[in-house]
Amino acid sequence: MVEEKPLFGALPGDPKAKTWKVKVFDSKTGEVYTADVPEDRYILYYLAEQGMEMPAQCRNGCCTTCAVKLVSGEVHQPEALGLLKEMKDEGYALMCVSYPRSDVEATTQDEDEVYVKQFGESFESGGVVPGAVLDAIEDD
Ligand code: FES
């Protein structure tokens, strides 16, 4: 018999690690994900192991699909490459690379909204419209 591996291949962590109550409201589905998450585990991975599938794509801190806005609490997210410092300072977090540092309440965010908020205004065109068709490129 082949032993099934955890869905996300997460590390086991320290079984004696302190845990924090994490509650994430999924603004698209209305689901609420709650668990006592060890402080040495990424929140998204731990929730998945408990059977709660949050929105996610890269699971590596780059794409912002798992972005949340913290309602209360603190997370540690040094590997969150997909978020500018300013966004982290505003309370945004990427759950796939966030460790809880207190009890946490958060709400999922729309990926396009987060992306446009931090990068859209930087584009040469002056911004982007989510879902818009690219302008046709004319030859010189
Ligand atoms: S799933 Fe891509 S940043 Fe978390």
Side-chain angles (χ1 to χ4, degrees):
M1 181 174 176
V2 178
E3 183 181 331
E4 261 188 55
K5 292 187 175 176
L7 184 60
F8 295 106
L11 298 169
D14 178 353
K16 294 179 186 160
K18 181 173 179 52
T19 62
W20 298 99
K21 294 199 176 309
V22 173
K23 183 176 182 180
V24 180
F25 175 72
D26 188 323
S27 58
K28 274 197 180 149
T29 67
E31 281 188 71
V32 179
Y33 315 111
T34 58
D36 292 335
V37 180
E39 66 181 4
D40 64 346
R41 299 296 312 281
Y42 291 140
I43 293 169
L44 182 136
Y45 283 59
Y46 191 80
L47 291 176
E49 289 171 10
Q50 312 309 308
M52 293 172 267
E53 298 289 338
M54 283 191 60
Q57 285 294 321
C58 73
R59 296 177 176 87
N60 206 22
C62 296
C63 74
T64 72
T65 304
C66 68
V68 300
K69 181 90 187 272
L70 299 176
V71 176
S72 63
E74 261 182 69
V75 298
H76 180 54
Q77 51 176 338
E79 296 95 6
L81 301 176
L83 275 184
L84 297 173
K85 181 183 180 311
E86 293 78 15
M87 296 288 283
K88 294 176 191 169
D89 292 345
E90 287 180 36
Y92 290 92
L94 301 178
M95 292 286 91
C96 68
V97 289
S98 286
Y99 303 98
R101 285 297 180 260
S102 69
D103 290 342
V104 170
E105 284 195 32
T107 303
T108 62
Q109 301 295 297
D110 181 79
E111 182 184 11
D112 284 344
E113 192 181 308
V114 172
Y115 187 84
V116 168
K117 186 168 182 170
Q118 65 178 350
F119 299 121
E121 292 170 5
S122 301
F123 293 135
E124 194 174 313
S125 64
V128 295
V129 178
V133 177
L134 294 174
D135 291 337
I137 299 173
E138 294 179 27
D139 292 332
D140 290 329

